[in-house]
Amino acid sequence: MVFPSNPVANQMPTITVGVADYKISTEPSTFLMTHALGSCLGITFHDSKRRIGGMLHAMLPTATLHEGEKIREAMFLDTGIPRVLSALIRAGAKKGDIRCKVFGGAQLMATDNFFRIGSKNIDMFYRLSQEMELDVVAWEVSGRVNRSIRLNNQTGDVIVKIPARPEFIR
Amino acid sequence: MKSAADLQTVVEMTRSIPCAPAILPKLLKLAEGSSSDLGEMEMLINLDTGLATDVLRTANSAFFASNQRCDSISDAILRLGSKVLYRIAASTLTGRWLVHPVRGYGWEPGDLCRHSLCVAICAETLAKKMHLGDAATAYTAGLIHDLGKFALAYANFTALDDITNRVPDEFATWREAEKVILGFESTQVTKALLENWGFPSTFVSVGCYYQTPSECPGRERKIVTLIHAAKHVATQIGYGVGVDGFYYEPDELALKEVGFKEEEMDAAIPEILSTIQCFISPSGEIRFT
């Protein structure tokens, strides 16, 4: 719980990222936040040398089910992650200096045939992170909790909020 | 607290909540009728200033407006049609109730409203895509499916904290914990509330069985299963999901019986999400009309 004792951080502006959306910020004194990940994945990207950060809130693993349709790239991990990375690099970040943290992917009670978006998202992110050689420094995924996250672009810290529990930092 | 008397206490306490959606069943009956009684509908809408304002505002919105301004409820009814009008009423009345600040389930203000709206939109979309009955009925069923939880939180039972603290270490599911710690389930509260307000049996069945659709007798099982599916899809999307959200068991038997397929539900999510985002902003603000 850093916020209450940190008045500077308390005054920093917050950019909100919606579901199936991404945002980047080149302003160090900024938070990027997204609410209620559910089974979605929230991925933070942070270049600590240049204090450039990004956040993706992706709902589904792959856009392949929607070939030929007009899609929102940030809806899907396989189209959203390349999109955020290229935006960060255009903004001045260096790929080799970007650290990622991944959150969400909550799972419903075990079923063999239904409602497995959480586990599919985690599997897809793992695969993509290998293929794209992402430097993933924190995994706060799976479980039966609805997470909201806030990236401090100054430090790269991510504050995690879960219903009925105290906030914590990853 | 472990008795049926406690359940009755919860139901009684909710009578004092302002703007309970008790006129919805009457409006639903009128909207379903082949020759809707416009006079009676106008009278009902005029009973509620907030609802009347929303109806007029929608009738004069860019989407519905014609050259002539709509200044009366009777004109608005003719312009909007009874189905659209009912949808506005369901959203306005239920939404107003559900945003009432309550403590429980780890909810932030408005969370139950956000989640119920998502369930309603999921139900409406899946009903249309899978030809599972009337989409407007599915929408309303989604809005009201968890009123019992609102009533429990409104009653401010410390037992809710006890459930939160003991799931999942002592109880695998939220239902099990409710049965042992409260002595009844939130679905029983929903059922009692909907019966008291005179909702049609379809909605009472949804409130009572949406967590366990295989237990629903008769022809209402299909819509009950639809709400069960919509609830789980909405939970995965995340809006307004409380501490209990991921501790309910999917009923695979009922889902298969109705013909649900995982890939079809996943494929519907982009459309569902686009609709949800017409009503809920990225920061979580809700705009019903």
Side-chain angles (χ1 to χ4, degrees):
Chain A
M1 290 284 280
V2 162
F3 280 169
S5 58
N6 188 340
V8 177
N10 275 337
Q11 289 166 13
M12 281 164 42
T14 298
I15 298 167
T16 304
V17 182
V19 187
D21 195 9
Y22 78 94
K23 292 278 192 306
I24 65 163
S25 175
T26 55
E27 172 54 55
S29 299
T30 308
F31 285 113
L32 288 164
M33 91 165 291
T34 196
H35 297 279
L37 287 167
S39 298
C40 308
L41 287 190
I43 301 154
T44 65
F45 303 80
H46 192 248
D47 178 338
S48 58
K49 289 185 185 161
R50 296 159 194 87
R51 306 254 170 87
I52 297 173
M55 183 181 282
L56 171 69
H57 184 150
M59 178 73 232
L60 293 164
T62 175
T64 50
L65 277 175
H66 300 272
E67 264 173 32
E69 296 172 27
K70 193 180 169 195
I71 60 157
R72 291 156 69 181
E73 288 177 325
M75 173 90 69
F76 308 96
L77 288 166
D78 61 353
T79 49
I81 293 173
R83 178 83 178 183
V84 182
L85 283 174
S86 64
L88 287 166
I89 290 163
R90 272 202 312 275
K94 292 275 185 288
K95 168 87 171 15
D97 290 330
I98 295 172
R99 307 276 175 273
C100 298
K101 296 180 183 179
V102 56
F103 303 86
Q107 297 182 34
L108 289 159
M109 302 192 70
T111 63
D112 293 332
N113 300 296
F114 294 99
F115 313 119
R116 295 176 297 173
I117 290 174
S119 59
K120 287 180 187 171
N121 277 338
I122 295 166
D123 291 347
M124 177 59 81
F125 179 77
Y126 181 76
R127 208 185 89 195
L128 292 170
S129 67
Q130 302 279 305
E131 287 173 7
M132 300 169 85
E133 297 179 330
L134 301 178
D135 184 5
V136 186
V137 296
W139 294 79
E140 181 69 34
V141 295
S142 192
R144 296 195 184 134
V145 289
N146 195 16
R147 301 167 175 93
S148 295
I149 54 170
R150 186 159 43 166
L151 167 68
N152 182 335
N153 206 25
Q154 188 87 44
T155 63
D157 285 342
V158 179
I159 297 103
V160 185
K161 184 167 174 25
I162 291 171
R165 292 196 203 160
E167 289 180 349
F168 61 93
I169 293 174
R170 286 301 304 262
Chain B
M1 61 154 6
K2 285 185 182 179
S3 71
D6 294 320
L7 192 156
Q8 196 52 40
T9 308
V10 177
V11 174
E12 288 299 327
M13 283 182 78
T14 58
R15 288 188 200 280
S16 64
I17 303 171
C19 312
I23 67 167
L24 263 188
K26 290 175 196 161
L27 274 172
L28 179 64
K29 236 172 231 168
L30 292 172
E32 276 178 344
S34 51
S35 57
S36 294
D37 185 337
L38 296 186
E40 197 173 341
M41 198 174 261
E42 182 184 3
M43 186 201 74
L44 273 174
I45 291 168
N46 276 323
L47 284 175
D48 186 302
T49 313
L51 175 58
T53 308
D54 282 344
V55 167
L56 282 174
R57 191 170 57 217
T58 308
N60 287 299
S61 68
F63 189 78
F64 287 103
S66 65
N67 291 335
Q68 279 197 312
R69 203 180 143 66
C70 190
D71 288 323
S72 72
I73 294 297
S74 54
D75 288 347
I77 293 170
L78 289 172
R79 183 173 292 179
L80 297 173
S82 58
K83 294 277 180 195
V84 172
L85 197 112
Y86 174 72
R87 188 185 165 108
I88 296 167
S91 303
T92 303
L93 298 171
T94 316
R96 194 191 296 161
W97 206 60
L98 292 174
V99 294
H100 201 82
V102 287
R103 179 180 150 276
Y105 299 95
W107 288 329
E108 298 289 323
D111 266 352
L112 180 59
C113 189
R114 276 184 278 277
H115 176 62
S116 299
L117 181 57
C118 289
V119 176
I121 290 167
C122 288
E124 181 184 46
T125 309
L126 294 174
K128 282 182 197 162
K129 282 189 177 294
M130 298 183 59
H131 310 291
L132 291 175
D134 179 53
T137 305
Y139 179 86
T140 307
L143 280 181
I144 53 89
H145 78 283
D146 248 350
L147 288 181
K149 281 192 191 153
F150 173 83
L152 280 168
Y154 183 79
N156 200 17
F157 286 155
T158 51
L160 288 181
D161 297 333
D162 203 14
I163 296 175
T164 303
N165 294 334
R166 293 170 67 181
V167 173
D169 292 342
E170 292 177 51
F171 303 100
T173 69
W174 203 267
R175 282 183 63 225
E176 280 175 39
E178 279 181 348
K179 278 191 266 189
V180 173
I181 296 171
L182 293 176
F184 54 87
E185 297 177 45
S186 62
T187 50
Q188 291 173 262
V189 182
T190 308
K191 177 176 181 278
L193 284 171
L194 294 174
E195 280 173 346
N196 277 353
W197 288 332
F199 271 75
S201 66
T202 304
F203 296 100
V204 176
S205 292
V206 165
C208 186
Y209 295 111
Y210 84 84
Q211 293 180 10
T212 52
S214 287
E215 292 174 12
C216 178
R219 60 186 176 84
E220 280 155 359
R221 189 184 295 179
K222 196 188 274 185
I223 188 169
V224 171
T225 307
L226 170 65
I227 300 305
H228 177 79
K231 170 84 173 175
H232 284 96
V233 172
T235 298
Q236 291 183 108
I237 294 174
Y239 287 101
V241 175
V243 69
D244 61 316
F246 287 89
Y247 288 101
Y248 296 100
E249 281 177 298
D251 186 336
E252 288 205 41
L253 191 71
L255 290 163
K256 282 180 185 163
E257 191 181 285
V258 174
F260 279 102
K261 292 192 174 68
E262 184 178 46
E263 56 271 28
E264 286 176 9
M265 285 192 275
D266 290 358
I269 284 179
E271 182 184 333
I272 288 169
L273 190 60
S274 295
T275 309
I276 289 170
Q277 290 180 329
C278 295
F279 298 96
I280 303 177
S281 77
S283 58
E285 287 153 13
I286 306 159
R287 357 166 239 265
F288 265 122
T289 55

